[in-house]
Amino acid sequence: MWQQATNRRRKHVLEWLTEKVILVTALISILSILLIFYFVGRKAVPILTNEVIQQTANLAEFFRPNGTTPDGHTTFIWQPISERPKYSFIPLLLGTLKATIVAMLVSVPLALLAALYTTEYAPRQVREYIKPAIELLAGVPSVVLGFFALVVMATWLQKLFQFEMRLNAVVSGCALGLAIIPVVYTVAEDALSAVPRALREASFALGASRAQTLLRVILPAALPGIFAGIVLGFGRAVGETMIVVMASGNAAITSWNPADSIRTMSATVAAELAEVVYGSAHYHTLFAIGALLFIITFVINSIGDWVIGRLNTRLQGAKR
Amino acid sequence: MQRARYFAVLLICIGLLCACAKRVPQPRHQPNASAKTSNSITIKGSDTMVLLGQWWAENYQQAHPQLIVQVNGGGSGTGIAALLNGTTDITQSSRPLRDSERSEFRAKYNHELIELKVALDGLGIYVHESNPLNELTLAQVREIYAGRITDWQNVGGSPGKILLYSRENNSGTYEFFKEHVLEKEDFTPRTQTLSGNAAVINAVSQDISGIGYGGVAFAKGVKTLAIKRDSQSPAIPPLFEYVTSGAYPISRFLYWYLPNEPTGEVKKLVDWVLSQAGQNALKEIGFFPIGQTEHVATSN
């Protein structure tokens, strides 16, 4: 009797302990996110509070036209080392946006069609090779992708489109696209295969062809999940650094032309933070860029998560 | 639920941001420089000078195999930061230290750092090998990089847009160029920035309409232009005799900075670098020796 009771108590303690250990590990990851946000924020805040720094770097400087082009138009300029430092975020935001849009245009169709093929058409054996192959792409280090873009893709694309600048938004966008294909593919594939079998069978039973079923039944049912994949890929593209450092040309040009070189926010932080004068306006501005990036990706990921939540409720509704 | 949880995290983050707004961050790192006694020497700094430092290290180590000399790049700024933090024995810099950096050092260590001119570097203006152009005036180079001249035919070349390549703004070469060629004007935003001398050379060598700048030592696979000080003066190519005599208009000193008067192994290395043997080694990798009078007193 007594022996049994201690055994049970020991079991109980062990269970309690396991649970707490798991809880702590979960909390550590949350805590690290909060700490990152706290420290990035703390370094960015002098932009809003410190008067000396605000003389050169402030919100108006970041978002209003702050210089002129060589031919005399007012424009937005990022030129932190200068007689009068110019810290406009606009060319950097524009550069990030251009690369991201190109990346989405490249990766979304490819990833979606691949996902459709693997879930709907591919025989089982083929699927078992395609899936891990695409997911392997996620394991390629971005520095390798960047190098590939710099050396190979830039030359091809320049020949193809007659680009004036060899490294530009299209080249870096295409390389970014390669990086986010697995992100979009994985989530979209999950969403497509999560569509209940009953829906499919009902559609066939009503006499719909394979293509009709795919377009009218399966795609709409999986749409929220596909959208979530796209949003996650977008978030990844915005924050990706190494590829754009290597393949974007790093010229902060304020223009919508995708054939111009770009300088993204992440690349700017990566290139300049290492050697900026500690505590200077430039230093805190770089942290402000970091904070802005953090906020953008956080918001985008929140949207993605929210959409996945919707997908789940919707599919659970469909089961009944 | 999901959404509510996300908002909760967002609120906490905003709360933290507000909380930290009130504090005045004043972190200061402690000096941790200590006299190195082991037989290894760390050299850090300018990317332009990495090759040079390694060349010296290799040559010196042949005669002193028990000594380990580590040479790292990262840029002049990185090297100077390392000097301030006491994590390097010698800093290589392709620009003289700013007054602010000197006073920061003084404030931290209560004495002046040691500055040595160790070599001379000609800054070459590179173009593609097939570019018919052979010379530019300093003013033309400035106009090109400020974005006021955008076509090769305006400087005597064949028609075509000029594509500009430059270094990242943390490089000593960038600062030197900005100060001495651009006369402190801004680079045009269309300038593409690359992260090293080799990257600039590589880009220009592949780009028929490209122009770049950097140490003459690196100029392989590209054409370096002869430079005229003004439109009347002769065009001077960045050759040994013209750079050392000062006739070539874009040249600069390269520096070593030491936190203290050199002693022991560091002193021996410094003396060797400034000696005839060390200076002769420069020529083989495309840098230029400086006249013996240019050195600071420690060299004797």
Side-chain angles (χ1 to χ4, degrees), chain A residues 34 37-38 41-43 45-46 49 70 77-84 86 155 164-167 248-253 260-261 263 271-272 274-275 277-278 282 294 298 301-302 305-306 309, chain B residues 2-3 6 9-10 12-14 16-17 20-21 23 25 27 29 74-78 98 146-148 161 163 165 168-171 174-175 178 184 186-194 206-207:
Chain A
L34 290 180
F37 194 83
Y38 172 72
R42 202 175 84 155
K43 297 278 190 185
V45 153
T49 56
I77 291 176
W78 173 264
Q79 187 87 249
I81 307 285
S82 172
E83 288 287 271
R84 190 186 83 68
K86 299 173 193 69
T155 309
E164 190 179 85
M165 290 171 157
R166 188 168 171 273
L167 300 178
S248 69
N250 289 313
I253 305 172
D260 276 342
S261 284
R263 189 177 182 90
E272 296 178 15
E275 305 195 17
V277 180
Y278 181 85
H282 186 191
F294 191 96
F298 187 84
N301 283 352
S302 308
D305 209 77
W306 174 66
Chain B
Q2 203 80 21
R3 194 165 16 153
Y6 250 99
V9 176
L10 190 65
I12 294 171
C13 291
I14 292 169
L16 272 174
L17 194 64
C20 57
R23 288 191 205 165
H29 19 236
S76 302
T78 308
R98 297 192 199 98
R148 286 186 291 270
K161 272 221 164 179
L163 288 182
Y165 294 98
E168 273 297 345
N169 58 31
N170 51 31
S171 106
Y174 172 98
E175 283 187 37
K178 184 158 186 142
K184 298 191 180 172
D186 282 351
F187 284 86
T188 164
R190 299 195 69 82
T191 314
Q192 300 186 48
T193 54
L194 299 162
Q206 291 180 31
D207 193 336

Side-chain angles (χ1 to χ4, degrees), chain B residues 10-240:
Chain B
L10 190 65
L11 277 179
I12 294 171
C13 291
I14 292 169
L16 272 174
L17 194 64
C18 297
C20 57
K22 285 175 198 135
R23 288 191 205 165
V24 185
Q26 262 179 338
R28 267 237 153 266
H29 19 236
Q30 292 299 309
N32 57 343
S34 54
K36 282 238 177 150
T37 46
S38 67
N39 31 344
S40 84
I41 298 177
T42 309
I43 301 178
K44 221 176 234 178
S46 165
D47 277 326
T48 311
M49 295 171 71
V50 170
L51 209 65
L52 171 63
Q54 279 167 351
W55 183 255
W56 270 330
E58 272 168 34
N59 279 277
Y60 187 72
Q61 276 169 310
Q62 279 173 3
H64 304 79
Q66 82 293 349
L67 187 74
I68 299 156
V69 183
Q70 273 195 344
V71 184
N72 298 315
S76 302
T78 308
I80 290 160
L83 190 74
L84 287 169
N85 296 334
T87 54
T88 182
D89 298 303
I90 297 168
T91 284
Q92 306 198 99
S93 176
S94 59
R95 60 167 172 84
L97 251 61
R98 297 192 199 98
D99 286 340
S100 61
E101 288 160 343
R102 286 175 205 271
S103 53
E104 197 176 333
F105 185 87
R106 212 179 301 125
K108 219 166 175 179
Y109 297 104
N110 287 322
H111 63 87
E112 297 291 328
L113 39 69
I114 312 292
E115 174 179 287
L116 300 164
K117 290 173 179 164
V118 291
L120 198 61
D121 184 22
L123 210 59
I125 305 294
Y126 319 132
V127 294
H128 192 262
E129 276 179 322
S130 71
N131 193 318
L133 200 70
N134 286 317
E135 54 186 58
L136 284 174
T137 67
L138 264 185
Q140 282 172 327
V141 177
R142 178 165 62 248
E143 294 292 295
I144 287 172
Y145 269 97
R148 286 186 291 270
I149 293 178
T150 56
D151 201 300
W152 284 112
Q153 64 182 342
N154 295 342
V155 289
S158 45
K161 272 221 164 179
I162 302 176
L163 288 182
L164 305 113
Y165 294 98
S166 169
R167 296 281 303 279
E168 273 297 345
N169 58 31
N170 51 31
S171 106
T173 314
Y174 172 98
E175 283 187 37
F176 175 83
F177 192 85
K178 184 158 186 142
E179 196 153 322
H180 293 271
V181 181
L182 275 169
E183 297 178 344
K184 298 191 180 172
E185 260 192 271
D186 282 351
F187 284 86
T188 164
R190 299 195 69 82
T191 314
Q192 300 186 48
T193 54
L194 299 162
S195 55
N197 242 315
V200 173
I201 299 274
N202 183 44
V204 175
S205 69
Q206 291 180 31
D207 193 336
I208 296 171
S209 44
I211 185 169
Y213 63 86
V216 178
F218 297 83
K220 289 188 184 76
V222 293
K223 182 169 164 180
T224 43
L225 295 178
I227 301 296
K228 296 170 162 186
R229 206 173 281 276
D230 53 56
S231 52
Q232 263 75 52
S233 43
I236 313 274
L239 297 177
F240 179 80

